Amino acid sequence: MTSIQQVLKKYFGYSEFKPGQEAIIKNTLQGRESVGIIPTGGGKSLCYQIPALLLPGISIVVSPLIALMKDQVDALNNLGIPATYISSILTPQEINRRLQLVCQNHYKLIYIAPERLTSEYFSRLAETIKISLIAIDEAHCVSQWGHDFRPSYAAIAPWIEAMPYRPVISAFTATASDRVREDIIRLLSLRNPSIHLIGFDRPNLHFTVMKGTDRKKWVEYYLKSHVEQSGIIYAATRKEVDSIYDYIKSWGIPAGRYHAGLSTEERNQSQEAFLYDDIKVMVASNAFGLGIDKSNIRYIIHHNMPRNLESYYQEAGRAGRDGEKGDCILLYSPADIQTHKFLIEQTTSSEERKAEEYQKMQAMIDYCHTTRCLRQSILEYFGEKDLPENCGNCINCTQSYESRDMTIEAQKIFSCIIRMNQQYGINLVASVLKGSQNKRIRELRLDQLSTYGIMSNMTIGAISDLINMLAAEDYIYTTAGQYPVVKLKQKSLPVLKSQARVILRMPARPEIVQEDSRLFQSLCALRREIAQKEQVPPYVIFHDLTLREMSARMPQDYDSMLAISGVGEIKMQKYGEQFMNIIRSYSLEDKSSSHMESGENAAPVKESKPTKQPQEPKQPSYLISWQMYQTGSTVSEIARQRKLTYLTVQDHILRSAREGFTVDWREIVSEEEEACILKAIQEVGSERLKPIKEMLPEEISYYAIKAVICRMELDGCTDSKDAADEFFFFKQKTAYEIVQIQGEYYVLIMYIIMSKDI
Ligand code: ADP
Ligand code: MG
Ligand code: ZN
């Protein structure tokens, strides 16, 4: 008898089995049913192809996709193994021809789609010929809990039961979850199968998560530096696929695209061209790739966060099947969460199922935020244990990180979550910590909490990131559901009691430091002076942001000074005059010096230009527009006065909003308009404006669309740095006491916060 080793070498050219293959093959040859849970690229096909060669009669492979069947059949024929497939794309004549050959025992393997099983011919097939083996590929499709549920898989078990004898059955999947595995056994009515669970690690794959990148620029950079390599870019929506495809082509890089909205012809063409290396880049929705056996894919870029880690790992796993290096990069943006929420709400009816989907999505979000080894984090999710802390082949293991003690920040966050009765989501917690003047916060009276504004030195985005990191590190968690709520976990308690510290690994990127203007520095100097006199820390006098706004707006009279956020009546009385003096003298000095320095300055003031607004080059143009807007000028008035286009002014306003300056959103976009725009974005993505605009009524402007996207980026929070004076003052005092007591100050924060309103 031919040994299976010999078959492996003879037909497939390999001298060694991959993990699990030998056991499953032997098992099958002995007539035992089996389930092979083997990661993508682990070589599942051989597990049924070799037995099919050795067993008498024919073997049937049930497979969900035509593309996949055709692929494998071509490969087998190429190896000299007689195989065929039956699918709906063939003409009835061709199907008949193939079936005749089947009856003549011409083939060793026949691939069929599950829909075909119910046809009369197939229900009687077992009476005509000897079926030795039935292999069910991508068997997770039978389970509703998998990510590729196909109702037609339900036809498999009854079909087998109806046969006059029972062939050997084996089922294969890359999905490891217990639930899916149980479903496979139950729904396929397997009889005492042996289960082969093969490690999910793919050591040759390098994992990266990128946050806050300009995705388009990044993709351009990556593709241009990897032109020789094959790769797939996955995007969340059809429209996004189309737009990425368009811009890749505009860079002169040949690419294909694939999504369910294209004609079968175009899809097949792109797939073929990609498989044969005629094009290197494939832009696709998740419809592409199931079972695709292209071994030299060097990178998988996820342009959007996938819905769950199962999909992610399966899609990413398509890189490096040949064992050579593969790059798996996920470009994360918080807006992706909205898309998935929308999809989950739209496509899932059962509440239980929804909850599960949300839970899975949360694990995906955690993955995007973890600072631990990414490989460890994925593999643990799939149930593997005792993994090394550092794999040496993911961004978190190779990028330089520094361990930072974030205990105080964590305590502030945890306390705030407690203060908010563990009833709100990440964004609202972050907004409260920031001290945002968000309407909802005022309505809910969350601005009365002792934790309101205690992290005002960070942006809402940075606070949210930190909360997500703490969730990824298991200190807190978010509940499942459309409106997830943050809650504390056991691990946070010792931190709150100052019995444990939180050390997080933060990317050691140089921080982008904004250059401080000379005026800002002078204002800081004055603040320092006053602080020393009053024996309080400087920010008790004025917050940094307040001074920054002063240096941008240069208020020189009572009213305009009072309009600066952070300056209230009391502070105005106490300090207003001194700060205005600095501003006045700066503005005089600036007027004279701008003449002297002209010619050698990077932004020279032309002789002919009247020095009407000498301070203008000192502050960003967008802030000037914002100031005017803030004092009641409309976009068109600002445009006229500043001799700018509407578009520029609109961009200025939105830029200011992004930087944390207050903007009245409702003035730009009404609630109804916003709802329409969000709907359109969910449909076509937010990458390009035009497709969004095209879906909307004429009267909705690009400005409104941009504003909604901006708000989405700010994640539903309008961040205002205004602070109510008295309250603000109190807050700062709290902070003051914290900072004064070195070494043990975190204990004190807790004391102060707790004593205030528990
Ligand atoms: P899966 O279906 O598990 O994703 P495939 O069956 O498509 O994986 O196999 C992935 C790749 O590994 C294919 O290119 C296949 O030829 C190759 N392969 C399978 N078994 C072996 C082996 N024993 N040695 C080397 N390569 C193998
Ligand atoms: Mg396969
Ligand atoms: Zn790692």
Side-chain angles (χ1 to χ4, degrees):
M1 189 190 147
T2 344
S3 84
I4 56 173
Q5 238 90 20
Q6 282 168 324
V7 176
L8 178 70
K9 186 72 203 156
K10 180 175 172 216
Y11 285 96
F12 300 94
Y14 304 130
S15 24
E16 271 173 67
F17 283 108
K18 290 192 173 194
Q21 284 180 331
E22 193 172 8
I24 295 175
I25 294 168
K26 284 188 169 155
N27 217 55
T28 308
L29 292 174
Q30 284 160 11
R32 170 110 189 251
E33 303 190 356
S34 49
V35 179
I37 301 163
I38 302 178
T40 309
K44 289 185 280 294
S45 322
L46 278 196
C47 297
Y48 52 80
Q49 287 167 347
I50 290 184
L53 279 172
L54 295 172
L55 290 168
I58 199 165
S59 295
I60 295 187
V61 183
V62 181
S63 163
L65 282 183
I66 294 165
L68 164 63
M69 293 194 271
K70 192 175 167 310
D71 228 52
Q72 292 216 359
V73 167
D74 286 350
L76 288 169
N77 288 339
N78 196 32
L79 295 172
I81 300 168
T84 191
Y85 66 92
I86 305 286
S87 93
S88 48
I89 58 159
L90 303 171
T91 60
Q93 291 85 345
E94 177 61 18
I95 293 183
N96 273 336
R97 194 183 69 84
R98 291 185 185 194
L99 290 176
Q100 267 167 24
L101 288 170
V102 168
C103 292
Q104 293 159 18
N105 265 319
H106 180 79
Y107 301 114
K108 287 310 292 176
L109 285 114
I110 166 170
Y111 284 73
I112 51 173
E115 298 79 48
R116 295 256 119 206
L117 297 178
T118 44
S119 74
E120 203 190 324
Y121 176 81
F122 271 100
S123 31
R124 289 206 323 268
L125 188 66
E127 291 159 20
T128 331
I129 52 160
K130 164 85 182 150
I131 301 172
S132 290
L133 166 69
I134 296 172
I136 300 144
D137 207 359
E138 315 288 349
H140 59 276
C141 292
V142 78
S143 168
Q144 291 223 35
W145 301 105
H147 48 281
D148 279 318
F149 175 54
R150 272 152 213 265
S152 52
Y153 264 60
I156 300 174
W159 170 63
I160 295 175
E161 298 291 340
M163 284 182 186
Y165 54 90
R166 189 172 173 93
V168 191
I169 299 166
S170 55
F172 300 90
T173 180
T175 303
S177 98
D178 291 348
R179 197 153 198 172
V180 170
R181 189 201 318 168
E182 282 160 19
D183 267 6
I184 289 175
I185 296 170
R186 189 171 53 87
L187 298 172
L188 294 175
S189 305
L190 298 182
R191 295 185 190 164
N192 183 30
S194 67
I195 293 167
H196 304 260
L197 184 71
I198 305 308
F200 268 54
D201 190 16
R202 299 277 312 278
N204 59 323
L205 299 187
H206 183 275
F207 293 93
T208 304
V209 174
M210 309 274 292
K211 280 185 291 216
T213 18
D214 179 331
R215 300 195 258 199
K216 183 174 167 187
K217 280 210 188 92
W218 190 90
V219 169
E220 179 173 12
Y221 166 79
Y222 191 93
L223 292 192
K224 287 186 174 167
S225 50
H226 293 80
V227 273
E228 288 304 313
Q229 301 183 344
S230 273
I232 305 175
I233 302 176
Y234 280 109
T237 61
R238 294 174 189 186
K239 285 284 169 153
E240 247 167 333
V241 170
D242 290 340
S243 89
I244 300 167
Y245 171 79
D246 286 343
Y247 62 65
I248 292 179
K249 291 211 117 171
S250 78
W251 303 327
I253 299 171
R257 63 176 162 174
Y258 192 105
H259 61 65
L262 300 171
S263 68
T264 319
E265 203 183 323
E266 183 174 351
R267 273 184 293 168
N268 288 347
Q269 256 173 16
S270 321
Q271 178 166 317
E272 227 37 7
F274 180 66
L275 292 178
Y276 291 98
D277 277 341
D278 294 336
I279 48 171
K280 301 284 188 188
V281 189
M282 180 68 117
V283 190
S285 71
N286 60 4
F288 178 71
L290 183 61
I292 289 297
D293 187 20
K294 184 173 167 62
S295 63
N296 66 339
I297 298 175
R298 293 274 72 86
Y299 61 85
I300 304 282
I301 296 171
H302 277 81
H303 190 265
N304 304 90
M305 181 185 82
R307 191 160 164 172
N308 52 45
L309 273 167
E310 283 85 351
S311 317
Y312 181 62
Y313 202 52
Q314 186 164 52
E315 285 158 14
R318 290 177 186 142
R321 281 187 179 218
D322 49 10
E324 299 286 310
K325 268 180 63 175
D327 223 356
C328 309
I329 305 133
L330 196 162
L331 307 176
Y332 171 83
S333 154
D336 297 336
I337 298 174
Q338 296 311 120
T339 315
H340 290 303
K341 276 189 186 168
F342 178 77
L343 289 172
I344 292 172
E345 288 301 317
Q346 294 292 303
T347 57
T348 322
S349 48
S350 113
E351 286 307 313
E352 192 195 1
R353 186 81 205 282
K354 255 187 208 170
E356 167 117 3
E357 290 282 345
Y358 280 119
Q359 210 175 334
K360 285 183 173 181
M361 180 175 82
Q362 187 56 47
M364 187 73 240
I365 300 171
D366 286 350
Y367 171 80
C368 295
H369 288 90
T370 188
T371 56
R372 286 192 306 147
C373 171
L374 291 175
R375 184 180 314 277
Q376 187 194 39
S377 143
I378 295 180
L379 295 177
E380 267 181 14
Y381 177 78
F382 289 119
E384 295 202 6
K385 298 194 173 68
D386 303 324
L387 298 156
E389 288 295 321
N390 185 312
C391 73
N393 198 23
C394 77
I395 186 128
N396 287 355
C397 290
T398 49
Q399 178 175 279
S400 70
Y401 273 82
E402 54 191 29
S403 295
R404 264 195 250 160
D405 189 332
M406 303 300 277
T407 311
I408 295 177
E409 287 79 0
Q411 287 175 330
K412 290 180 180 177
I413 290 170
F414 300 158
S415 317
C416 193
I417 295 171
I418 296 177
R419 291 283 93 66
M420 294 170 73
N421 290 328
Q422 313 199 58
Q423 276 176 4
Y424 299 100
I426 291 181
N427 290 319
L428 206 65
V429 174
S431 305
V432 168
L433 285 161
K434 168 75 187 175
S436 157
Q437 291 266 297
N438 185 321
K439 197 166 139 236
R440 185 142 176 256
I441 290 183
R442 267 176 286 158
E443 279 168 6
L444 294 166
R445 298 178 59 81
L446 297 173
D447 53 356
Q448 304 298 312
L449 298 179
S450 60
T451 48
Y452 178 75
I454 56 172
M455 293 180 87
S456 57
N457 58 329
M458 290 171 74
T459 63
I460 292 185
I463 301 172
S464 302
D465 272 352
L466 190 54
I467 298 176
N468 275 312
M469 278 164 100
L470 291 167
E473 297 304 312
D474 249 10
Y475 289 100
I476 50 184
Y477 70 103
T478 51
T479 56
Q482 195 181 5
Y483 303 104
V485 161
V486 214
K487 291 183 187 282
L488 298 187
K489 272 187 149 174
Q490 200 63 31
K491 194 176 167 186
S492 67
L493 302 181
V495 177
L496 274 168
K497 292 186 203 149
S498 295
Q499 291 164 348
R501 308 188 73 84
V502 175
I503 312 290
L504 293 181
R505 296 171 71 234
M506 313 286 267
R509 285 189 212 108
E511 289 191 13
I512 304 154
V513 190
Q514 195 182 333
E515 248 217 272
D516 291 327
S517 72
R518 216 154 39 82
L519 174 55
F520 178 75
Q521 286 168 16
S522 316
L523 295 173
C524 287
L526 170 63
R527 179 177 65 170
R528 212 163 29 241
E529 223 177 274
I530 302 173
Q532 269 164 8
K533 231 185 287 166
E534 298 192 9
Q535 302 225 325
V536 291
Y539 44 79
V540 173
I541 314 297
F542 280 127
H543 209 268
D544 271 10
L545 279 172
T546 305
L547 295 193
R548 240 180 254 291
E549 201 180 322
M550 277 185 206
S551 66
R553 289 164 68 170
M554 300 177 76
Q556 296 175 34
D557 55 55
Y558 187 89
D559 280 346
S560 41
M561 185 55 139
L562 206 58
I564 303 282
S565 52
V567 184
E569 298 278 354
I570 294 173
K571 286 198 186 178
M572 182 65 209
Q573 272 170 27
K574 282 169 87 172
Y575 315 118
E577 209 47 45
Q578 301 175 67
F579 282 90
M580 281 195 292
N581 278 337
I582 300 264
I583 294 167
R584 286 184 199 118
S585 67
Y586 176 86
S587 124
L588 282 173
E589 193 188 305
D590 194 64
K591 267 176 198 146
S592 46
S593 69
S594 63
H595 278 295
M596 282 157 41
E597 283 168 15
S598 75
E600 43 180 289
N601 222 323
V605 180
K606 280 188 201 138
E607 283 299 322
S608 56
K609 191 179 156 197
T611 47
K612 216 179 101 215
Q613 277 183 304
Q615 71 271 38
E616 181 142 341
K618 295 273 175 203
Q619 53 179 306
S621 179
Y622 70 92
L623 277 185
I624 299 172
S625 297
W626 178 79
Q627 286 161 31
M628 296 172 73
Y629 166 83
Q630 206 55 12
T631 50
S633 303
T634 63
V635 168
S636 55
E637 282 163 10
I638 301 170
R640 207 175 46 239
Q641 276 183 36
R642 299 199 61 206
K643 299 201 168 41
L644 298 170
T645 63
Y646 281 17
L647 215 67
T648 308
V649 177
Q650 290 172 348
D651 283 345
H652 282 171
I653 307 297
L654 295 181
R655 163 106 192 258
S656 305
R658 281 200 178 86
E659 307 274 318
F661 290 86
T662 322
V663 163
D664 181 359
W665 294 107
R666 281 294 162 256
E667 201 181 271
I668 304 173
V669 51
S670 74
E671 221 159 302
E672 298 78 55
E673 284 175 341
E674 181 165 351
C676 295
I677 296 169
L678 280 173
K679 228 175 175 167
I681 290 174
Q682 274 148 354
E683 191 88 349
V684 300
S686 61
E687 213 59 34
R688 280 174 6 159
L689 300 175
K690 200 157 169 251
I692 305 174
K693 180 86 170 84
E694 280 165 359
M695 289 191 66
L696 295 166
E698 199 78 50
E699 65 273 15
I700 297 185
S701 66
Y702 273 108
Y703 186 30
I705 298 172
K706 282 193 228 166
V708 171
I709 294 174
C710 178
R711 278 189 67 158
M712 271 170 66
E713 283 166 13
L714 290 167
D715 231 341
C717 310
T718 52
D719 166 21
S720 145
K721 60 197 181 64
D722 292 21
D725 303 298
E726 279 314 302
F727 190 61
F728 187 67
F729 196 66
F730 168 78
K731 227 21 84 192
Q732 295 309 316
K733 243 182 164 163
T734 314
Y736 158 56
E737 289 174 57
I738 295 160
V739 177
Q740 282 291 298
I741 304 167
Q742 288 290 332
E744 239 141 16
Y745 51 1
Y746 50 91
V747 181
L748 198 68
I749 297 178
M750 298 323 303
Y751 171 69
I752 293 166
I753 294 169
M754 300 223 172
S755 64
K756 191 168 172 265
D757 51 20
I758 278 191

